[in-house]
Amino acid sequence: MKLDKTLIVTEALALLNQVGIDALSTRLLAERLKVQQPALYWHFKNKRALLDAMNDEMLRRGHRHRAPQAGESWQDFVRNNARSFRGALVAWRDGARVHAGTEANPDSLERFEAMLRFLVGHGMLAQNAMQLLLAVGRYTVGCVLEEQADAPEGPGRGAELDAAAQAYPLLSAAILAYRAGGHEAQFESGLALLVAGAEARLIGTSGAEKGRSAKVSEPDAEPVRQWQLPL
């Protein structure tokens, strides 16, 4: 069997599902591939490089909504993109931990530029669009991290907290709603808040631009200096 990067990553992902990220090691992977451990370092200089490649493959397989679709609103794109990203991470054991700490692959920079261009085309400032994408991405990773860190349910799990929360009616009702919704519902709730915040910011930015333009158009208005423009 010829050892190459594709085979190594494929087997590393399979091993990840079996043992989890804490137990994943180049030694175990070499045993699985029936090669000597140093053979892996011809292809990946360390475990971090291997994890980066595993992350790329997880997203390649599972992240299906990475670009805006024809006729899609920016709100729908942000939501669909986040859902697709979440799906790619939850498909693998410790998927969020594999992704955390990775950097964008240089091959994906053109796609990120297109995403920013799409959002800017809907009226966002480039830096605000970048902040939105980062916030949604990190929120998604955090949600999956919490979801995948959940301990198995057991007898009486949460009973002590529920009993103590009875003294706090608002908290008790909120906990009940939280548990009834589950991970996906909670993810959707937070995602809706992020999109709503971006909508409000966009409206505010547009209003500020209109007000600034009106002032500049007045006969006695001073010229707008470059440093006065929004960042």
Side-chain angles (χ1 to χ4, degrees), residues 89-101:
L89 297 182
V90 298
W92 299 91
R93 181 175 177 179
D94 294 329
R97 291 181 63 190
V98 171
H99 178 82

Side-chain angles (χ1 to χ4, degrees), residues 2 38 71 75 81 83 102 106 115-117 136 150 157 161 179 188 199 209-210 227:
K2 182 180 178 181
Q75 294 95 329
N81 178 263
R83 291 164 184 156
T102 60
M115 291 165 65
L116 290 176
R117 190 182 307 116
V136 171
D150 262 4
R157 179 170 167 78
L161 177 63
R179 290 189 174 163
E188 289 291 337
E199 287 176 328
E209 288 296 322
K210 289 178 180 179
W227 57 267

Side-chain angles (χ1 to χ4, degrees), residues 28 100 116 143 231:
L28 279 180
L116 290 176
C143 285
L231 297 177

